[in-house]
Amino acid sequence: MSDLDKSATTLVVRSTCKLTYEGILMMLNKICEGTAYDYVYLPWHKLAVVNFTSPEACQAAHRTLTRLSTMDTSGVRYVKQAVVQGLAENLAIFLAKSGYDAIFDPGAPRVFVLGTSFPLSSAVNVYTSLLWTSSESKTIVVL
């Protein structure tokens, strides 16, 4: 099992089969509480980016998903720590790569607040403005 940084909140999950939002959310709800994650994005058919609400929730999900990856029938190929960490940071990367209009696409990320779906346009306005006004914000370089 690969180690996670103690502060990690975002995982990349690679699947052996095509993922859907319905399917990945069902899996996440089975392995952790619905309030344990706040961002789910499927940038490719077999890849999910999931941000958890705490490092502890991320570590617990990582342990479970890593165990699942050893079972041929689970559909999980591997799980690892994402390069970009945090809800606001992942929203900012999505916007930088895809543009604002992409938030209205059916394949756009899903955001949750206390387990309830939250409109992406509202999340972008709230969380990215917090990122840019934070004194601890980091420069994000998109290659």
Side-chain angles (χ1 to χ4, degrees):
M1 177 179 348
S2 63
D3 292 326
L4 294 179
D5 291 345
K6 289 182 181 183
S7 61
T9 60
T10 309
L11 298 177
V12 173
V13 180
R14 177 82 160 120
S15 176
T16 59
C17 52
K18 184 177 177 180
L19 295 170
T20 63
Y21 279 108
E22 181 180 338
I24 190 74
L25 293 173
M26 185 183 316
M27 181 184 71
L28 288 170
N29 288 330
K30 286 182 180 181
I31 66 168
C32 59
E33 292 182 32
T35 59
Y37 57 88
D38 55 13
Y39 177 89
V40 178
Y41 179 42
L42 304 176
W44 296 289
H45 294 298
K46 295 183 178 183
L47 190 74
V49 178
V50 182
N51 188 70
F52 294 87
T53 56
S54 71
E56 296 78 19
C58 183
Q59 290 165 8
H62 183 265
R63 283 190 299 273
T64 301
L65 289 166
T66 299
R67 279 194 301 271
L68 287 173
S69 71
T70 64
M71 299 158 49
D72 291 336
T73 59
S74 73
V76 177
R77 178 170 287 159
Y78 68 78
V79 58
K80 65 180 184 176
Q81 179 175 319
V83 173
V84 176
Q85 294 291 309
L87 172 58
E89 292 83 355
N90 275 287
L91 286 170
I93 287 293
F94 173 77
L95 283 176
K97 287 184 174 183
S98 303
Y100 185 81
D101 289 341
I103 68 172
F104 303 104
D105 291 344
R110 306 302 197 261
V111 175
F112 302 88
V113 174
L114 300 174
T116 302
S117 185
F118 191 72
L120 184 56
S121 58
S122 298
V124 163
N125 292 333
V126 171
Y127 292 104
T128 57
S129 66
L130 290 174
L131 177 66
W132 304 135
T133 59
S134 169
S135 61
E136 297 177 13
S137 66
K138 300 173 186 167
T139 302
I140 298 174
V141 178
V142 178
L143 301 175

